[in-house]
Amino acid sequence: MSKTDSAGGVGASGHPPAGVALDDIDRVLLDHLARDGRMTNNALAAAAGIAPSTCLGRVRALVQRGVIRGFHADIDPAALGRSLQAMIAVRLRASARRQLAEFGARVSALEEVLNVYFIAGADDYLVHVATANTDELRAFVLNHLSAHPAVASTETILIFEHMRPRAGTD
C-alpha cells in the first residue's frame, strides 16, 4: 500500500511553512478537495465560483506552499487481505531521545504501517497498522517494535471500525 505522495513546499517537519495565509476561495477549494480529491478542475472551479484557469493556478500554489501535502488513493486494507487494524502507542527509552526521528522514519517504512504520529504525552509515537490477523499483529509488535533497543514499551489498541466524519457531507 502506498503512502501519501509528498508535495513540495513543506518544511523538514512535514508541516507547511508557518503563517501561510488562506483566503475564502482557498478554503472552499480545500474543503471540496478534502471531501473528493478526484474532483475535476472544472467542477472545483464552479464550486468556488472562479474560472478553471484561476482554479488550476490556485491549487498548484496550494501544493507549492505546502498546504496540500499530496494526493493519494485511500485503499481499504481489508481488500489487500489485511483486515485487522490497530493503533500501537510506543514509548522510547529516555536514553534514546536522540533517535526519535530515525525511529519514526524506520517504522514508517514498514509494509504493515499505514500512518505514524509523533505525539505529546506519556508515549512518543502512535503507529497505525493493518495486518491479516492477530498472529501477524503479534509478530509485528515483537519483531519491529519490542525488539528495537530504543523502545521502552508498547500498548496495542485494536480498531473495530474507522469512520470518516467529513466523507459525503454535502
Side-chain angles (χ1 to χ4, degrees):
M1 184 173 313
S2 70
K3 309 279 191 285
T4 300
D5 297 328
S6 64
V10 294
S13 68
H15 298 285
V20 172
L22 299 174
D23 64 18
D24 290 341
I25 292 173
D26 289 334
R27 292 182 194 286
V28 169
L29 297 173
L30 293 171
D31 182 55
H32 283 282
L33 287 173
R35 285 187 271 139
D36 181 4
R38 294 184 59 158
M39 187 174 206
T40 66
N41 184 64
N42 287 344
L44 187 59
I50 58 177
S53 59
T54 302
C55 181
L56 186 60
R58 280 183 169 261
V59 170
R60 284 183 179 155
L62 289 166
V63 170
Q64 289 171 344
R65 291 166 41 205
V67 176
I68 296 176
R69 297 184 297 187
F71 301 90
H72 71 282
D74 184 11
I75 300 167
D76 184 351
L80 302 175
R82 298 190 293 159
S83 59
L84 181 65
Q85 292 187 54
M87 296 297 261
I88 306 168
V90 180
R91 182 178 305 170
L92 299 186
R93 298 184 190 286
S95 62
R97 296 292 176 219
R98 290 184 303 276
Q99 299 173 346
L100 281 169
E102 177 274 326
F103 179 82
R106 183 184 155 289
V107 169
S108 66
L110 297 171
E111 180 183 350
E112 298 88 348
V113 176
L114 302 176
N115 294 288
V116 176
Y117 303 95
F118 178 50
I119 59 174
D123 297 309
D124 298 299
Y125 283 98
L126 197 54
V127 182
H128 180 195
V129 301
T131 62
N133 53 49
T134 56
D135 290 337
E136 282 189 16
L137 177 60
R138 180 181 182 276
F140 175 85
V141 172
L142 291 175
N143 297 333
H144 297 293
L145 301 178
S146 297
H148 194 285
V151 173
S153 66
T154 65
E155 179 182 356
T156 302
I157 303 131
L158 295 181
I159 297 171
F160 293 130
E161 185 177 359
H162 176 202
M163 293 153 277
R164 294 194 183 273
R166 294 183 57 107
T169 57
D170 259 353

mmCIF file with all atom_site columns, all heavy atoms in Angstrom, residues 119-131:
data_model
loop_
_atom_site.group_PDB
_atom_site.id
_atom_site.type_symbol
_atom_site.label_atom_id
_atom_site.label_alt_id
_atom_site.label_comp_id
_atom_site.label_asym_id
_atom_site.label_entity_id
_atom_site.label_seq_id
_atom_site.pdbx_PDB_ins_code
_atom_site.Cartn_x
_atom_site.Cartn_y
_atom_site.Cartn_z
_atom_site.occupancy
_atom_site.B_iso_or_equiv
_atom_site.pdbx_formal_charge
_atom_site.auth_seq_id
_atom_site.auth_comp_id
_atom_site.auth_asym_id
_atom_site.auth_atom_id
_atom_site.pdbx_PDB_model_num
ATOM 1  N N   . ILE A 1 119 ? 3.721  12.130 18.877 1.00 0.00 ? 119 ILE A N   1
ATOM 2  C CA  . ILE A 1 119 ? 2.701  12.706 19.746 1.00 0.00 ? 119 ILE A CA  1
ATOM 3  C C   . ILE A 1 119 ? 3.289  13.260 21.045 1.00 0.00 ? 119 ILE A C   1
ATOM 4  O O   . ILE A 1 119 ? 4.413  12.932 21.429 1.00 0.00 ? 119 ILE A O   1
ATOM 5  C CB  . ILE A 1 119 ? 1.615  11.658 20.076 1.00 0.00 ? 119 ILE A CB  1
ATOM 6  C CG1 . ILE A 1 119 ? 2.218  10.429 20.772 1.00 0.00 ? 119 ILE A CG1 1
ATOM 7  C CG2 . ILE A 1 119 ? 0.863  11.247 18.815 1.00 0.00 ? 119 ILE A CG2 1
ATOM 8  C CD1 . ILE A 1 119 ? 1.200  9.418  21.266 1.00 0.00 ? 119 ILE A CD1 1
ATOM 9  N N   . ALA A 1 120 ? 2.506  14.071 21.720 1.00 0.00 ? 120 ALA A N   1
ATOM 10 C CA  . ALA A 1 120 ? 2.841  14.583 23.040 1.00 0.00 ? 120 ALA A CA  1
ATOM 11 C C   . ALA A 1 120 ? 2.205  13.667 24.078 1.00 0.00 ? 120 ALA A C   1
ATOM 12 O O   . ALA A 1 120 ? 1.224  12.995 23.805 1.00 0.00 ? 120 ALA A O   1
ATOM 13 C CB  . ALA A 1 120 ? 2.324  16.007 23.204 1.00 0.00 ? 120 ALA A CB  1
ATOM 14 N N   . GLY A 1 121 ? 2.761  13.660 25.261 1.00 0.00 ? 121 GLY A N   1
ATOM 15 C CA  . GLY A 1 121 ? 2.197  12.860 26.342 1.00 0.00 ? 121 GLY A CA  1
ATOM 16 C C   . GLY A 1 121 ? 3.167  11.795 26.798 1.00 0.00 ? 121 GLY A C   1
ATOM 17 O O   . GLY A 1 121 ? 4.371  11.863 26.542 1.00 0.00 ? 121 GLY A O   1
ATOM 18 N N   . ALA A 1 122 ? 2.644  10.782 27.451 1.00 0.00 ? 122 ALA A N   1
ATOM 19 C CA  . ALA A 1 122 ? 3.494  9.726  28.012 1.00 0.00 ? 122 ALA A CA  1
ATOM 20 C C   . ALA A 1 122 ? 4.169  8.901  26.923 1.00 0.00 ? 122 ALA A C   1
ATOM 21 O O   . ALA A 1 122 ? 5.291  8.418  27.116 1.00 0.00 ? 122 ALA A O   1
ATOM 22 C CB  . ALA A 1 122 ? 2.668  8.816  28.917 1.00 0.00 ? 122 ALA A CB  1
ATOM 23 N N   . ASP A 1 123 ? 3.510  8.736  25.784 1.00 0.00 ? 123 ASP A N   1
ATOM 24 C CA  . ASP A 1 123 ? 4.082  7.965  24.682 1.00 0.00 ? 123 ASP A CA  1
ATOM 25 C C   . ASP A 1 123 ? 4.695  8.918  23.659 1.00 0.00 ? 123 ASP A C   1
ATOM 26 O O   . ASP A 1 123 ? 4.396  10.113 23.634 1.00 0.00 ? 123 ASP A O   1
ATOM 27 C CB  . ASP A 1 123 ? 3.006  7.100  24.023 1.00 0.00 ? 123 ASP A CB  1
ATOM 28 C CG  . ASP A 1 123 ? 2.455  6.068  24.996 1.00 0.00 ? 123 ASP A CG  1
ATOM 29 O OD1 . ASP A 1 123 ? 3.261  5.354  25.617 1.00 0.00 ? 123 ASP A OD1 1
ATOM 30 O OD2 . ASP A 1 123 ? 1.221  5.997  25.139 1.00 0.00 ? 123 ASP A OD2 1
ATOM 31 N N   . ASP A 1 124 ? 5.546  8.364  22.809 1.00 0.00 ? 124 ASP A N   1
ATOM 32 C CA  . ASP A 1 124 ? 6.229  9.172  21.797 1.00 0.00 ? 124 ASP A CA  1
ATOM 33 C C   . ASP A 1 124 ? 5.593  9.052  20.422 1.00 0.00 ? 124 ASP A C   1
ATOM 34 O O   . ASP A 1 124 ? 5.559  10.016 19.667 1.00 0.00 ? 124 ASP A O   1
ATOM 35 C CB  . ASP A 1 124 ? 7.703  8.749  21.706 1.00 0.00 ? 124 ASP A CB  1
ATOM 36 C CG  . ASP A 1 124 ? 8.428  8.994  23.018 1.00 0.00 ? 124 ASP A CG  1
ATOM 37 O OD1 . ASP A 1 124 ? 8.482  10.166 23.439 1.00 0.00 ? 124 ASP A OD1 1
ATOM 38 O OD2 . ASP A 1 124 ? 8.914  8.023  23.618 1.00 0.00 ? 124 ASP A OD2 1
ATOM 39 N N   . TYR A 1 125 ? 5.121  7.852  20.088 1.00 0.00 ? 125 TYR A N   1
ATOM 40 C CA  . TYR A 1 125 ? 4.549  7.599  18.770 1.00 0.00 ? 125 TYR A CA  1
ATOM 41 C C   . TYR A 1 125 ? 3.248  6.838  18.892 1.00 0.00 ? 125 TYR A C   1
ATOM 42 O O   . TYR A 1 125 ? 3.050  6.049  19.819 1.00 0.00 ? 125 TYR A O   1
ATOM 43 C CB  . TYR A 1 125 ? 5.506  6.765  17.899 1.00 0.00 ? 125 TYR A CB  1
ATOM 44 C CG  . TYR A 1 125 ? 6.645  7.568  17.341 1.00 0.00 ? 125 TYR A CG  1
ATOM 45 C CD1 . TYR A 1 125 ? 7.885  7.564  17.957 1.00 0.00 ? 125 TYR A CD1 1
ATOM 46 C CD2 . TYR A 1 125 ? 6.482  8.334  16.190 1.00 0.00 ? 125 TYR A CD2 1
ATOM 47 C CE1 . TYR A 1 125 ? 8.940  8.311  17.452 1.00 0.00 ? 125 TYR A CE1 1
ATOM 48 C CE2 . TYR A 1 125 ? 7.526  9.077  15.677 1.00 0.00 ? 125 TYR A CE2 1
ATOM 49 C CZ  . TYR A 1 125 ? 8.745  9.064  16.309 1.00 0.00 ? 125 TYR A CZ  1
ATOM 50 O OH  . TYR A 1 125 ? 9.787  9.804  15.799 1.00 0.00 ? 125 TYR A OH  1
ATOM 51 N N   . LEU A 1 126 ? 2.383  7.075  17.913 1.00 0.00 ? 126 LEU A N   1
ATOM 52 C CA  . LEU A 1 126 ? 1.186  6.277  17.724 1.00 0.00 ? 126 LEU A CA  1
ATOM 53 C C   . LEU A 1 126 ? 1.300  5.732  16.307 1.00 0.00 ? 126 LEU A C   1
ATOM 54 O O   . LEU A 1 126 ? 1.414  6.498  15.345 1.00 0.00 ? 126 LEU A O   1
ATOM 55 C CB  . LEU A 1 126 ? -0.061 7.145  17.880 1.00 0.00 ? 126 LEU A CB  1
ATOM 56 C CG  . LEU A 1 126 ? -1.381 6.456  18.104 1.00 0.00 ? 126 LEU A CG  1
ATOM 57 C CD1 . LEU A 1 126 ? -1.331 5.505  19.295 1.00 0.00 ? 126 LEU A CD1 1
ATOM 58 C CD2 . LEU A 1 126 ? -2.478 7.478  18.324 1.00 0.00 ? 126 LEU A CD2 1
ATOM 59 N N   . VAL A 1 127 ? 1.322  4.401  16.194 1.00 0.00 ? 127 VAL A N   1
ATOM 60 C CA  . VAL A 1 127 ? 1.554  3.740  14.911 1.00 0.00 ? 127 VAL A CA  1
ATOM 61 C C   . VAL A 1 127 ? 0.281  3.011  14.500 1.00 0.00 ? 127 VAL A C   1
ATOM 62 O O   . VAL A 1 127 ? -0.205 2.150  15.233 1.00 0.00 ? 127 VAL A O   1
ATOM 63 C CB  . VAL A 1 127 ? 2.740  2.748  15.016 1.00 0.00 ? 127 VAL A CB  1
ATOM 64 C CG1 . VAL A 1 127 ? 3.015  2.101  13.668 1.00 0.00 ? 127 VAL A CG1 1
ATOM 65 C CG2 . VAL A 1 127 ? 3.986  3.443  15.550 1.00 0.00 ? 127 VAL A CG2 1
ATOM 66 N N   . HIS A 1 128 ? -0.260 3.369  13.336 1.00 0.00 ? 128 HIS A N   1
ATOM 67 C CA  . HIS A 1 128 ? -1.472 2.752  12.804 1.00 0.00 ? 128 HIS A CA  1
ATOM 68 C C   . HIS A 1 128 ? -1.032 1.650  11.839 1.00 0.00 ? 128 HIS A C   1
ATOM 69 O O   . HIS A 1 128 ? -0.358 1.932  10.855 1.00 0.00 ? 128 HIS A O   1
ATOM 70 C CB  . HIS A 1 128 ? -2.303 3.820  12.088 1.00 0.00 ? 128 HIS A CB  1
ATOM 71 C CG  . HIS A 1 128 ? -3.572 3.328  11.492 1.00 0.00 ? 128 HIS A CG  1
ATOM 72 N ND1 . HIS A 1 128 ? -4.267 4.065  10.565 1.00 0.00 ? 128 HIS A ND1 1
ATOM 73 C CD2 . HIS A 1 128 ? -4.303 2.200  11.661 1.00 0.00 ? 128 HIS A CD2 1
ATOM 74 C CE1 . HIS A 1 128 ? -5.352 3.413  10.201 1.00 0.00 ? 128 HIS A CE1 1
ATOM 75 N NE2 . HIS A 1 128 ? -5.390 2.266  10.850 1.00 0.00 ? 128 HIS A NE2 1
ATOM 76 N N   . VAL A 1 129 ? -1.414 0.412  12.134 1.00 0.00 ? 129 VAL A N   1
ATOM 77 C CA  . VAL A 1 129 ? -1.003 -0.730 11.314 1.00 0.00 ? 129 VAL A CA  1
ATOM 78 C C   . VAL A 1 129 ? -2.209 -1.535 10.849 1.00 0.00 ? 129 VAL A C   1
ATOM 79 O O   . VAL A 1 129 ? -3.281 -1.463 11.439 1.00 0.00 ? 129 VAL A O   1
ATOM 80 C CB  . VAL A 1 129 ? -0.033 -1.670 12.077 1.00 0.00 ? 129 VAL A CB  1
ATOM 81 C CG1 . VAL A 1 129 ? 1.216  -0.927 12.505 1.00 0.00 ? 129 VAL A CG1 1
ATOM 82 C CG2 . VAL A 1 129 ? -0.700 -2.312 13.273 1.00 0.00 ? 129 VAL A CG2 1
ATOM 83 N N   . ALA A 1 130 ? -1.999 -2.310 9.785  1.00 0.00 ? 130 ALA A N   1
ATOM 84 C CA  . ALA A 1 130 ? -3.012 -3.246 9.292  1.00 0.00 ? 130 ALA A CA  1
ATOM 85 C C   . ALA A 1 130 ? -2.310 -4.564 8.996  1.00 0.00 ? 130 ALA A C   1
ATOM 86 O O   . ALA A 1 130 ? -1.295 -4.591 8.305  1.00 0.00 ? 130 ALA A O   1
ATOM 87 C CB  . ALA A 1 130 ? -3.689 -2.710 8.034  1.00 0.00 ? 130 ALA A CB  1
ATOM 88 N N   . THR A 1 131 ? -2.852 -5.646 9.552  1.00 0.00 ? 131 THR A N   1
ATOM 89 C CA  . THR A 1 131 ? -2.307 -6.985 9.330  1.00 0.00 ? 131 THR A CA  1
ATOM 90 C C   . THR A 1 131 ? -3.451 -7.931 8.994  1.00 0.00 ? 131 THR A C   1
ATOM 91 O O   . THR A 1 131 ? -4.623 -7.588 9.133  1.00 0.00 ? 131 THR A O   1
ATOM 92 C CB  . THR A 1 131 ? -1.556 -7.505 10.573 1.00 0.00 ? 131 THR A CB  1
ATOM 93 O OG1 . THR A 1 131 ? -2.469 -7.606 11.670 1.00 0.00 ? 131 THR A OG1 1
ATOM 94 C CG2 . THR A 1 131 ? -0.400 -6.596 10.954 1.00 0.00 ? 131 THR A CG2 1
#
